[in-house]
Amino acid sequence: MKHPDSAACNAPFALAELRAGVSKWDIRHKIWDYMEANNLADFPRPVHHRIPNFKGSFEMSSSVQAWDVFDKAREVKVDPDKPLEGIRLAALQGVRDYSVPVGLDAKVHVDLVVVGSVAVSEKGFRIGKGEGFADLEYAMMVSMGAVREDTVVVTAVHDCQVVDIPEDLLGNHDLTVDYILTPTRIIKTGCNHPKPQGILWHKISHEMLGKIPVLKNLRHREKQEGKDVALKDEQRDVPAADKPVRVAKKSRPERSSFQDQASLSQASPEGGASPDSSPLPDAPVAVYVGSIPQGTRVGELKDALRQCHATPARLTWQGAQHRAFLSYGDKATADAAVVALQGLSLHGSPLRVELARSQLSKTGSRPR
């Protein structure tokens, strides 16, 4: 598995740059920027907010066919990402049944799962494009019994996409990989970080449930089995891992969730929205964040909040209005967060941060 472009970019950027306060979005953007600057991807371009269609990806299909792990697999699930097109073609060689709908009660055992990645480490830690669908699809297959402990998970990337990824960035919903395919090598990761053990319903929103109909069926089935299927929007008690961090203290990064991937791609033009008079339900103290630039993802805002040590107990994302509401446990924490977030910018645009209007009516003044 050899491609002429790969030798030039085994180290696209200094790994030291990824260690201090790094986030998943930092790593994604470094990979995307590097691949664009060095013309390492084919259509579609630019690669930002995509699984990059790296050069040499299609040619890998001939090598994959001769790989013993691939040859032994009888049931293969390959994600629809563009750089996996050659592997999908290889998987179809000699296959009689493909793209056949599978019911939740079907007796299917998937031997091999192939996922796309933006970045992956030699230890098997993977970062996707930020929408969480590969993680969720795997969790859904676990829930229906289609994948088991012996199911092999593989990703295919350019050599420059293999970088160090801090383990503390991984959440319990994140999918890890057993093998990494590049145009020059096959890496066996030996990863022992646990893969998703099923659907984490407390990280699923009603919005996502509406977008993925099969989730409703899986939720109903698990509810009948007596499992806790309360959704993120329905959680009344904040889990210990997600409790707010006092602004004065430093903490490890909060785990990202499937809902972190909502975007403003269809948001209306900035209209100078002012703080809403109805902040988060059940929120003790709410902080308004406005003037969020179009194209921003909620995960980027969450990363910025963590870096400012102002992680809220809950975040309500109102993309169409270019704003968000942050819920804090008490007035002192909310005030400290407002101070910490003054001057915060995303994509070069300064954000408007202040107590929500309902809080201002209680104090009788507006923060400066």
Side-chain angles (χ1 to χ4, degrees), residues 80-102:
D81 303 306
K82 183 65 174 176
L84 304 181
E85 194 171 74
I87 296 178
R88 286 196 297 276
L89 179 63
L92 289 174
Q93 301 300 313
V95 172
R96 291 185 301 174
D97 300 320
Y98 60 91
S99 294
V100 177
V102 177

Side-chain angles (χ1 to χ4, degrees), residues 217-291:
N217 296 331
L218 283 170
R219 186 178 183 229
H220 176 73
R221 188 168 75 172
E222 293 197 6
K223 185 176 182 179
Q224 295 296 108
E225 295 171 356
K227 296 181 180 179
D228 181 3
V229 295
L231 301 181
K232 182 174 184 177
D233 325 54
E234 300 170 346
Q235 301 297 305
R236 304 194 66 83
D237 295 321
V238 181
D242 297 324
K243 286 185 177 179
V245 179
R246 294 276 181 176
V247 174
K249 297 180 181 179
K250 292 185 178 181
S251 67
R252 295 175 63 181
E254 181 188 78
R255 303 306 186 196
S256 59
S257 69
F258 296 119
Q259 195 181 6
D260 284 2
Q261 324 313 334
S263 71
L264 283 172
S265 58
Q266 297 180 346
S268 59
E270 177 63 50
S274 59
D276 193 11
S277 58
S278 55
L280 295 171
D282 303 322
V285 183
V287 171
Y288 167 83
V289 179
S291 301

Side-chain angles (χ1 to χ4, degrees), residues 1-315:
M1 303 176 73
K2 182 73 175 176
H3 188 267
D5 287 330
S6 57
C9 61
N10 289 329
F13 38 80
L15 296 180
E17 297 177 27
L18 295 180
R19 293 189 180 124
V22 69
S23 70
K24 289 182 179 180
W25 280 102
D26 292 330
I27 297 174
R28 288 184 185 106
H29 281 288
K30 284 184 179 294
I31 293 289
W32 286 328
D33 291 345
Y34 184 86
M35 296 188 77
E36 278 296 318
N38 292 274
N39 194 32
L40 295 176
D42 293 323
F43 175 86
R45 300 278 293 273
V47 297
H48 293 79
H49 302 288
R50 304 180 190 276
I51 299 296
N53 184 26
F54 60 92
K55 290 188 175 180
S57 61
F58 192 84
E59 289 76 9
M60 289 172 59
S61 60
S62 58
S63 299
V64 167
Q65 285 180 298
W67 185 33
D68 60 339
V69 172
F70 184 84
D71 185 59
K72 293 175 183 177
R74 291 295 171 263
E75 300 282 349
V76 181
K77 197 274 187 188
V78 185
D79 282 1
D81 303 306
K82 183 65 174 176
L84 304 181
E85 194 171 74
I87 296 178
R88 286 196 297 276
L89 179 63
L92 289 174
Q93 301 300 313
V95 172
R96 291 185 301 174
D97 300 320
Y98 60 91
S99 294
V100 177
V102 177
L104 296 182
D105 297 318
K107 302 301 180 183
V108 176
H109 177 201
V110 178
D111 305 298
L112 180 66
V113 175
V114 186
V115 297
S117 300
V118 173
V120 64
S121 76
E122 292 192 6
K123 294 181 179 180
F125 308 152
R126 170 192 171 273
I127 294 177
K129 64 182 178 181
E131 294 181 348
F133 287 117
D135 307 312
L136 182 55
E137 284 183 349
Y138 184 90
M140 290 165 60
M141 288 190 291
V142 171
S143 182
M144 64 180 288
V147 299
R148 305 170 191 169
E149 291 294 326
D150 59 344
T151 298
V152 178
V153 180
V154 178
T155 193
V157 296
H158 197 279
D159 288 88
C160 71
Q161 294 172 257
V162 182
V163 298
D164 277 358
I165 298 174
E167 186 171 3
D168 61 6
L169 289 184
L170 299 187
N172 52 2
H173 67 277
D174 284 316
L175 179 62
T176 55
V177 303
D178 303 301
Y179 290 91
I180 304 168
L181 310 183
T182 82
T184 66
R185 54 185 176 152
I186 298 177
I187 303 169
K188 185 175 181 178
T189 68
C191 185
N192 56 13
H193 190 282
K195 293 181 174 66
Q197 300 300 301
I199 300 171
L200 302 177
W201 294 105
H202 70 276
K203 292 188 175 183
I204 303 294
S205 67
H206 276 98
E207 179 183 7
M208 178 165 281
L209 195 69
K211 290 180 178 179
I212 308 176
V214 69
L215 270 179
K216 294 182 179 180
N217 296 331
L218 283 170
R219 186 178 183 229
H220 176 73
R221 188 168 75 172
E222 293 197 6
K223 185 176 182 179
Q224 295 296 108
E225 295 171 356
K227 296 181 180 179
D228 181 3
V229 295
L231 301 181
K232 182 174 184 177
D233 325 54
E234 300 170 346
Q235 301 297 305
R236 304 194 66 83
D237 295 321
V238 181
D242 297 324
K243 286 185 177 179
V245 179
R246 294 276 181 176
V247 174
K249 297 180 181 179
K250 292 185 178 181
S251 67
R252 295 175 63 181
E254 181 188 78
R255 303 306 186 196
S256 59
S257 69
F258 296 119
Q259 195 181 6
D260 284 2
Q261 324 313 334
S263 71
L264 283 172
S265 58
Q266 297 180 346
S268 59
E270 177 63 50
S274 59
D276 193 11
S277 58
S278 55
L280 295 171
D282 303 322
V285 183
V287 171
Y288 167 83
V289 179
S291 301
I292 299 174
Q294 185 170 348
T296 302
R297 293 171 180 263
V298 68
E300 295 177 278
L301 175 59
K302 287 193 174 185
D303 285 340
L305 295 175
R306 283 193 291 267
Q307 291 171 15
C308 292
H309 307 295
T311 302
R314 185 183 296 175
L315 185 154

